[in-house]
Every structure is written in C-alpha cells, then in structure tokens.
Amino acid sequence: MSDSVSEMALDQLFREARTFNAWSPQEVTDEQLHQLYALAKFGPTSANASPMRVVFVKSEEAKARLAPHLSDGNRAKTMEAPVTAIIGTDHEFYERLPQLFPHADARSWFVGNQPLIDTTAFRNASLQGAYVLMAARALGLDCGPMSGFDQAGVDAAFFAGTAVKSNFLIAIGYGDGSRNLFPRSPRLSFDEACRIA
Amino acid sequence: MSDSVSEMALDQLFREARTFNAWSPQEVTDEQLHQLYALAKFGPTSANASPMRVVFVKSEEAKARLAPHLSDGNRAKTMEAPVTAIIGTDHEFYERLPQLFPHADARSWFVGNQPLIDTTAFRNASLQGAYVLMAARALGLDCGPMSGFDQAGVDAAFFAGTAVKSNFLIAIGYGDGSRNLFPRSPRLSFDEACRIA
C-alpha cells in the first residue's frame, strides 16, 4: 500500500502531458532509451508474454528508411524528432514463454490457436507501448504517438523475415511547445465513459 | 522539458509494482475511481478517439453477474478484490468524434471502414486500459490485470445493446502480498526486445 505520487508527478504523467508535434534539437541518448525500457519492461502483460518489440529510429539512415511510409501529416515532425520508437507486435511471442513464464507450459496455451495468438499479441504489445509512453514521460521526455503510417511498408523496412508487425509509433524527445502545439481536445466525462456497478 | 519523477515514484509505477492475486478488504471509494479516471482520461489516443468504456464492478450484485464468466483461476481472487474494472472497447467510438475532435471531420475517416474501426478501437482502448493501470498505481492503488474470461458472457452481462466489447479486466485495490504473490517473472533484456537503428 502506497501513497499517491506527488501532484507534480501526476501533472507530468497525465494532467499536463501533451502530444507534441514539434521538437527541440536536444538529443535523446542511447542511455536514456535503455533507462526507458528498464522501466517499461516491468509493466504487466498476459502470462508475462511481453510481445512488444521496439526499433528506436535514431540515425539519419533509419529515419530515411521510415520516412516514405509515414502519412504526409506525420512525416516532417517525425523527421524532426530525435527518436521515433516503432512499437512492434511479435506474433510469435509464444516461443519466448518457456523463458518468460517458466513455471507452466504457457506456450501450449497458444500454439495452434491463431485468433488467441493475434489478439493476445496486439492487446499486450499495445499495453506495452503505453508503458513506454508513460515511462518516457516519467523520465522527463515528451512523446508524440502516431498510427498514421503504412504498416506493410514499415514492416518490410524494419521487420522483414520476422513475425513482428508494426503497431504504432511514438516520437520521443523534448517537445517544442512554441510550434504546432494544439489546444488540448476535450475528454469524455466520467459519466460518458464509465459507470460504477 | 521536465526532470524525471522521483526514484520512489519510478519504483511505485514500474520497478516495485506487482500484479496482485490477493486483496486486503480495504475499500476503494467511488471518489478514488473518479480521481483515477480524471488522470487516465488524459492519456493520448488516435484522433483523441477515446474508445475505452469502463464498468467498475463493485457491488455484490455486479460481482455475482461477473463471476460465472471468469476463468476458474481468476474467480476467487476477483471476488475478493474491492473493485474490478471491465475495460471495454466501443466499436462505435467514431460517433463521439464530433465532440472529441471538433476541428476536423474525423468521423468520416472511419465510417464504412470496419477494419480501421476495429483496429483503432482495440489498440486505443488497450492503451487507455494501460493508462488506467498506471493511474491506479500513481494514486497508490494496486492492480491485477486479467484476460482470462468469457468475453461474450461479459458482453451480454454488462454491455448488452451496445457496440462495446469487453477487452480485459483490472482488479483494483490494496494488494495483500502475504498471499499468492508470485516471484516476479523474468523480463526480456533490452537487446532481446529492442534495437537502436
């Protein structure tokens, strides 16, 4: 049982965090990306299956490979971001279960049941993408998540020969709030989205 | 640009947080559930579409409606939890876009494209479920996420007559670490899950 984190942390993680569309040139170091994953990996997944695979697109060469597959509205800002994480979904995640869930034969729960494999992979890789986003914010980084891209093109460019499919993208860096930061859009009220039964 | 949140907050959110399977009887108040949603709602979604719908199962009556649809391994612990959130996915989320994304006709991007609707709904409701989990932890609550349940049964019991489908469950309360708390399972290393390109 814990207390709430500080009001400042709640602001940083949720209330004041924004989706940025312009980026300061300040670098994100490889060490920061390792720190980010060292937090995000602890987020829970079904049977600890951990189906997320990530490519952190950072070099000019890798950015050039990503660029043609981005929607027109996402291209310029993504090239400006110091790093863009391609959050991928491994549809053969179950091959890792003997390592990740060693106390039961969890692999056998999935093999041969493709709908269960695909649903579990997509749900849990999406959860893990959210953990990456929250971990980045916790470390003081800003994010710009995007799903406007050609999935097949990104898969061919970054995941060829694997069972990994791109899920969504997260630009990561230090947001420049002076450019293209839109007013926050409205959210659904509690009563519009939730009920207590 | 922000600093990292405190080491204690990083522990609470990621490094020391655990999936609990036993619960203290301490209540989770309706006010806490409102606080939780008031944080989680700010997490980003595609076109701000916010497709998550939540039923917080709290009353004995609602728990009794949920129980028959849980997998055998999840039933007793879920009945013990003070609250279980049914994270639902609204497959007609696009009808809210005139409210949620008022600066463009985003509804028209989806209507008639069922694969895009379903993928966007499932990905983004899953992201929002992760935001609920992280918001609960940020507020000092513990979580026990689960996907072992009969989706059609839960849908009929809680979402009849709507386009909402159950996605996954999160038991919420104050974990009892003295019972059924398993050693933390291993995670994939950075090099197993990620690469910097």
Side-chain angles (χ1 to χ4, degrees), chain A residues 89-108:
Chain A
T89 303
D90 187 354
H91 289 259
E92 289 180 355
F93 68 87
Y94 49 85
E95 297 295 356
R96 292 281 190 171
L97 284 170
Q99 170 189 355
L100 293 171
F101 201 76
H103 41 293
D105 179 16
R107 180 177 179 278
S108 69

Side-chain angles (χ1 to χ4, degrees), chain A residues 1-5 9-10 12-15 19 26 30 33-34 37 39 41-44 46 48 50 52-59 62 96 99-100 103 119 122-123 126-127 130-131 133-135 137-140 145 147 158 167-168 174 184-190 192-197, chain B residues 1-5 9-10 12-15 19 26 30 33-34 37 39 41-44 46 48 50 52-59 62 96 99-100 103 119 122-123 126-127 130-131 133-135 137-140 145 147 158 167-168 174 184-190 192-197:
Chain A
M1 182 180 162
S2 306
D3 292 331
S4 174
V5 301
L10 295 177
Q12 181 169 328
L13 292 164
F14 296 104
R15 293 186 299 225
T19 289
Q26 186 178 345
D30 290 4
L33 299 178
H34 280 262
Y37 179 72
L39 295 171
K41 71 178 181 181
F42 286 124
S46 184
N48 194 39
S50 309
M52 177 183 71
R53 305 291 178 266
V54 186
V55 179
F56 293 105
V57 173
K58 191 173 170 186
S59 69
R96 292 281 190 171
Q99 170 189 355
L100 293 171
H103 41 293
T119 299
F122 189 47
R123 175 188 295 118
S126 299
L127 296 180
Y131 304 148
L133 188 146
M134 297 304 301
R137 288 178 171 180
L139 291 173
S147 52
F158 291 94
N167 184 335
F168 71 107
Y174 298 93
R184 192 196 275 285
S185 295
R187 296 303 197 266
L188 296 176
S189 70
F190 185 94
E192 288 172 317
C194 308
R195 69 177 195 271
I196 300 174
Chain B
M1 182 181 162
S2 306
D3 293 330
S4 175
V5 301
L10 294 178
Q12 181 170 329
L13 293 163
F14 296 104
R15 294 187 297 225
T19 288
Q26 187 178 345
D30 290 4
L33 299 177
H34 281 262
Y37 180 72
L39 295 171
K41 71 179 181 181
F42 286 123
S46 184
N48 194 36
S50 309
M52 178 185 69
R53 305 291 179 266
V54 186
V55 180
F56 292 106
V57 173
K58 191 174 170 185
S59 69
R96 293 282 190 170
Q99 170 189 354
L100 293 171
H103 41 293
T119 300
F122 189 45
R123 175 187 295 118
S126 299
L127 296 180
Y131 305 148
L133 188 147
M134 297 304 301
R137 289 179 171 179
L139 291 173
S147 52
F158 291 94
N167 184 334
F168 71 107
Y174 298 92
R184 191 196 276 286
S185 295
R187 297 302 199 266
L188 297 176
S189 69
F190 185 93
E192 288 173 315
C194 308
R195 68 178 196 268
I196 300 174

Side-chain angles (χ1 to χ4, degrees), chain B residues 101-114:
Chain B
F101 201 78
H103 41 293
D105 180 15
R107 181 178 177 280
S108 69
W109 305 342
F110 294 97
V111 173
N113 188 341
Q114 199 64 44

Side-chain angles (χ1 to χ4, degrees), chain B:
Chain B
M1 182 181 162
S2 306
D3 293 330
S4 175
V5 301
S6 70
E7 292 295 318
M8 191 179 300
L10 294 178
D11 283 344
Q12 181 170 329
L13 293 163
F14 296 104
R15 294 187 297 225
E16 301 291 330
R18 298 297 313 280
T19 288
F20 282 89
N21 296 300
W23 300 94
S24 128
Q26 187 178 345
E27 189 195 8
V28 174
T29 66
D30 290 4
E31 187 187 345
Q32 284 176 293
L33 299 177
H34 281 262
Q35 289 172 340
L36 195 170
Y37 180 72
L39 295 171
K41 71 179 181 181
F42 286 123
T45 56
S46 184
N48 194 36
S50 309
M52 178 185 69
R53 305 291 179 266
V54 186
V55 180
F56 292 106
V57 173
K58 191 174 170 185
S59 69
E60 292 306 313
E61 179 276 322
K63 285 186 182 185
R65 261 194 294 149
L66 178 60
H69 310 297
L70 298 170
S71 69
D72 289 343
N74 285 338
R75 190 170 296 116
K77 65 184 181 183
T78 305
M79 293 301 101
E80 187 179 84
V83 177
T84 294
I86 304 172
I87 304 295
T89 304
D90 188 353
H91 289 258
E92 288 179 358
F93 69 86
Y94 50 84
E95 297 296 354
R96 293 282 190 170
L97 284 170
Q99 170 189 354
L100 293 171
F101 201 78
H103 41 293
D105 180 15
R107 181 178 177 280
S108 69
W109 305 342
F110 294 97
V111 173
N113 188 341
Q114 199 64 44
L116 181 64
I117 289 169
D118 291 339
T119 300
T120 302
F122 189 45
R123 175 187 295 118
N124 286 279
S126 299
L127 296 180
Q128 290 188 281
Y131 305 148
V132 166
L133 188 147
M134 297 304 301
R137 289 179 171 179
L139 291 173
L141 294 160
D142 296 310
C143 292
M146 296 170 279
S147 52
F149 63 94
D150 173 38
Q151 186 183 41
V154 170
D155 294 350
F158 291 94
F159 298 122
T162 76
V164 180
K165 304 286 181 197
S166 51
N167 184 334
F168 71 107
L169 309 178
I170 310 176
I172 300 173
Y174 298 92
D176 178 351
S178 72
R179 291 181 291 134
N180 301 326
L181 182 62
F182 309 122
R184 191 196 276 286
S185 295
R187 297 302 199 266
L188 297 176
S189 69
F190 185 93
D191 289 340
E192 288 173 315
C194 308
R195 68 178 196 268
I196 300 174

